[in-house]
Amino acid sequence: MKQSTLLNFFGRPNGVTTTARKHFDALHERSFEEARPVSPAQDSDAPHSSRAEIEEVEPEPEGDVVFRVGAAKPTTVGDEGRASGSGDEAAEGSRSQSSESDEEAEDEVAAMPAKSDYERQRAERMQRNREALLRLVGSKSCAAMVGAGRSGPPRAKKKPKRPPKQKTEPVRRSRRKAALPALGPGTPSDDDGDVLAPSVVLEEETLDFAPTAVADYDCTADATTSGVSALRSHDSGVDEAFSKLRVVSPESTATCMRRVYSIDFDESCARKDRDGTLVVAGEKGLASILAVLSTGGTLPLLDCKLSRSWIASVEFVGRGAERLLSASNDGEVNLWNLCLSAWDPKVGANVPSNLFSHRAHDKGIFSMCHRENKVLTGSKDCTVGLSLMAESSIRTVAYYDEIHSGVVKSVAFGAGEGEFASAGNDRDIRLCDLRADPNKGSGVIEGAHHSAINGLQYSPDGTLLLSSSFDPILRVHDLRNPAAPLLELQGHLAGRAKSIQGPVFAAGGRRVVATGERTGLLTIYDCTGSGALVSHGSMDFNPSKLCSVDGGGLTFMAAAGQGELSLLKPSM
């Protein structure tokens, strides 16, 4: 017999119908037809077996089975009106008065007539079968269902509800309800004896204000800056102490990438109608080559793809802006001939002629700087590489692998021969000399920022070093006394930045211009004194990279980001 069948029967409530009782008796006879009915005396001498203990319950010769409320065993009702008929009346009366007290139920049971021998034997067999069933099941939960008449597994307890969070009251800035100080003996009082509280002076709390998108001025096109030789310097006083930046051309130039990581300018190819050539590179290995016109506008020359990964840095090599050096996230340094290009169907873009390719690092390159035939690279492998470039080749001659403990994100050559600086995720600035031991830095500025340093730039005279990080503070270091920063410039960011920003020196190192993340602001600082914030200028887009051109009679700035580029002129 299936376990579920027995459990369903014994788990039924006391009000089960007669038909269910007959079906169980028939099923019981088929399952144990070989079992021999035994008397209580014989049962005690029978061998102990789990299946032998379940005995056959003989069906009644006549009548139906009725369960009594408050009675221990069922009785039968016959046509002759035997004594069991009174039990039927008692059961019906008990079901109709289920809310009566226990005393009335006991009186009703006591008034019932004595059981016959057949009823007594049948009740004993049912009790033995119940005990044998519990031994077969062997589960407390099933035993509880059999005894209590409950079907199904026990219900799981509900998890207690979490207590509601306590609401904290906002910090109160007003001190009108602040408690007065305790009054001690000797406190002055008035004529009526009332104590006079001393006058308490409450200081107002100071608020930390951050820059917003509301700027001091709008960097829109100015009629006085457009025209012939718009980028040429005419007033040295304005160039040395400018307070604003004005867009030269009313229309910005579109670039082939939205994220810009590097900008470089070459004025060696200047001619009558052009002041030089500008390159912008960034995401997806894309680069845009543009001619800077004398009128202040730009002319697109070539949109090309230099790598399958993003471009970390690009710089023109030689004169004429014909060759371009690039470093990318795949660890390669390439030299390109911009005068020749072809359409590559594999990458779906124009590709310049490659003069040579060199894998300088095993991991990606974050920064590159070159001077004459020397090339510095900072990489994700925590090293600074020094490579020498020839006419048609490049080779790495030294690795500085012990000066940094994290990713190197910025490298820059200094004013002196062989001097360079490097910084990265370890937040230290290393000042090195190529003529010394490659792994012994000539100086270190420890803990220059509170987060990873991602930008370094020397001033034109080489005495100052500008560093930028993800924190909202720019620091200017005097290399003659690098123990502490000379200036701390604040106000271009409202909080910690999420992307790399590129501040630059301008006006010969007397000004610093910084971008603001997602604000469209250009912030100008004064570096001749205390590092005061000069002004905020609003752009039509969010620039992320700047390039300052100050030499050869040209004074302007290029700002790029979000697929746009604009040229700006200093003004008062």
Side-chain angles (χ1 to χ4, degrees):
M1 180 180 294
K2 293 184 178 181
Q3 174 182 333
S4 59
T5 305
L6 296 174
L7 292 177
N8 289 337
F9 169 73
F10 286 106
R12 292 180 182 273
N14 292 335
V16 68
T17 60
T18 303
T19 305
R21 177 69 260 180
K22 288 183 177 181
H23 280 295
F24 175 79
D25 290 341
L27 180 61
H28 204 66
E29 289 177 0
R30 289 195 300 270
S31 301
F32 303 97
E33 59 184 0
E34 296 180 358
R36 179 174 58 85
V38 295
S39 61
Q42 295 173 343
D43 182 74
S44 61
D45 298 332
H48 187 76
S49 175
S50 60
R51 287 192 175 274
E53 289 176 348
I54 302 179
E55 300 176 357
E56 180 181 5
V57 180
E58 298 178 1
E60 304 87 347
E62 293 178 333
D64 298 331
V65 178
V66 178
F67 287 87
R68 295 180 179 276
V69 178
K73 307 298 177 184
T75 59
T76 59
V77 179
D79 296 335
E80 292 80 7
R82 296 182 299 179
S84 60
S86 60
D88 182 33
E89 296 176 358
E92 293 180 358
S94 177
R95 284 194 297 269
S96 62
Q97 300 178 0
S98 57
S99 61
E100 293 180 359
S101 63
D102 295 340
E103 297 179 357
E104 296 178 356
E106 292 178 358
D107 296 340
E108 184 179 350
V109 173
M112 293 172 51
K115 296 182 180 179
S116 63
D117 294 339
Y118 168 77
E119 292 175 343
R120 186 172 58 258
Q121 293 178 5
R122 186 173 182 275
E124 293 175 355
R125 292 192 184 101
M126 291 179 62
Q127 180 63 25
R128 287 195 295 272
N129 289 346
R130 184 187 298 273
E131 295 174 356
L133 176 63
L134 294 180
R135 288 193 294 271
L136 283 176
V137 174
S139 173
K140 294 182 179 180
S141 60
C142 294
M145 288 190 293
V146 171
R150 178 173 176 263
S151 60
R155 296 178 181 176
K157 296 182 179 180
K158 294 184 178 180
K159 294 183 179 179
K161 295 183 178 180
R162 294 182 179 179
K165 295 183 179 179
Q166 297 181 356
K167 296 183 178 179
T168 58
E169 295 293 335
V171 179
R172 183 180 180 85
R173 294 189 179 274
S174 176
R175 297 188 179 182
R176 290 178 298 175
K177 295 185 179 181
L180 295 177
L183 303 178
T187 304
S189 58
D190 57 8
D191 297 337
D192 298 333
D194 297 332
V195 176
L196 296 178
S199 58
V200 180
V201 179
L202 300 179
E203 297 180 357
E204 293 291 335
E205 295 183 0
T206 60
L207 303 179
D208 295 331
F209 291 96
T212 64
V214 180
D216 300 335
Y217 66 98
D218 188 5
C219 300
T220 54
D222 191 352
T224 59
T225 61
S226 60
V228 179
S229 301
L231 303 179
R232 294 289 173 177
S233 177
H234 301 286
D235 190 346
S236 59
V238 173
D239 297 337
E240 293 179 359
F242 67 89
S243 60
K244 297 180 181 180
L245 289 169
R246 296 289 186 181
V247 176
V248 178
S249 176
E251 296 181 0
S252 60
T253 303
T255 59
C256 61
M257 82 290 300
R258 290 188 59 83
R259 295 182 180 178
V260 177
Y261 301 141
S262 181
I263 306 177
D264 193 30
F265 177 77
D266 184 16
E267 70 278 1
S268 62
C269 61
R271 56 191 187 189
K272 185 177 180 180
D273 59 339
R274 297 183 183 180
D275 287 334
T277 305
L278 196 69
V279 57
V280 180
E283 64 177 354
K284 301 178 182 179
L286 300 174
S288 295
I289 315 299
L290 306 103
V292 178
L293 304 179
S294 301
T295 57
T298 56
L299 177 65
L301 299 178
L302 177 65
D303 288 338
C304 56
K305 191 174 182 66
L306 306 180
S307 174
R308 295 183 179 274
S309 185
W310 48 270
I311 301 295
S313 182
V314 288
E315 291 187 16
F316 287 107
V317 176
R319 295 185 60 83
E322 297 178 356
R323 295 187 177 186
L324 183 68
L325 190 67
S326 68
S328 54
N329 189 42
D330 55 8
E332 292 187 354
V333 177
N334 291 272
L335 184 64
W336 309 90
N337 182 6
L338 299 180
C339 296
L340 300 175
S341 67
W343 177 264
D344 189 350
K346 294 182 180 180
V347 299
N350 287 314
V351 177
S353 175
N354 185 268
L355 298 178
F356 61 77
S357 178
H358 171 63
R359 188 170 185 83
H361 295 270
D362 294 333
K363 296 184 179 180
I365 298 176
F366 252 111
S367 177
M368 180 191 68
C369 183
H370 104 281
R371 175 177 293 174
E372 297 177 352
N373 66 329
K374 301 179 182 67
V375 179
L376 279 176
T377 51
S379 171
K380 293 180 179 179
D381 59 9
C382 309
T383 65
V384 176
L386 174 63
S387 303
L388 297 180
M389 185 172 52
E391 184 67 23
S392 59
S393 64
I394 184 173
R395 61 187 179 91
T396 302
V397 296
Y399 285 103
Y400 296 79
D401 54 359
E402 295 182 4
I403 60 176
H404 287 287
S405 60
V407 175
V408 182
K409 290 187 173 180
S410 183
V411 292
F413 274 112
E417 182 180 357
E419 297 179 359
F420 74 90
S422 61
N425 285 358
D426 58 4
R427 301 177 296 165
D428 295 338
I429 299 177
R430 292 283 180 171
L431 306 174
C432 304
D433 195 328
L434 298 177
R435 296 164 292 185
D437 189 336
N439 288 315
K440 291 183 180 180
S442 59
V444 57
I445 304 176
E446 296 182 352
H449 285 267
H450 297 297
S451 59
I453 302 173
N454 48 50
L456 291 176
Q457 188 184 27
Y458 279 91
S459 61
D461 60 359
T463 60
L464 302 179
L465 181 65
L466 174 64
S467 63
S468 61
S469 175
F470 288 114
D471 55 43
I473 300 177
L474 304 177
R475 288 183 169 87
V476 179
H477 308 271
D478 188 349
L479 300 181
R480 295 164 294 189
N481 183 21
L486 177 64
L487 300 173
E488 291 189 347
L489 313 179
Q490 304 182 47
H492 63 290
L493 291 175
R496 178 181 170 86
K498 295 183 180 180
S499 60
I500 296 176
Q501 307 297 309
V504 294
F505 278 111
R510 289 176 288 273
R511 291 284 189 269
V512 168
V513 182
T515 59
E517 186 178 38
R518 299 181 181 180
T519 61
L521 298 180
L522 293 179
T523 306
I524 302 175
Y525 296 95
D526 179 19
C527 290
T528 60
S530 61
L533 193 153
V534 177
S535 65
H536 286 305
S538 176
M539 297 284 291
D540 293 337
F541 60 94
N542 293 325
S544 59
K545 197 66 179 179
L546 299 175
C547 177
S548 178
V549 178
D550 189 7
L554 294 173
T555 304
F556 69 94
M557 187 167 292
Q562 292 188 320
E564 298 186 35
L565 181 139
S566 292
L567 303 181
L568 302 102
K569 180 76 175 177
S571 66
M572 296 300 291

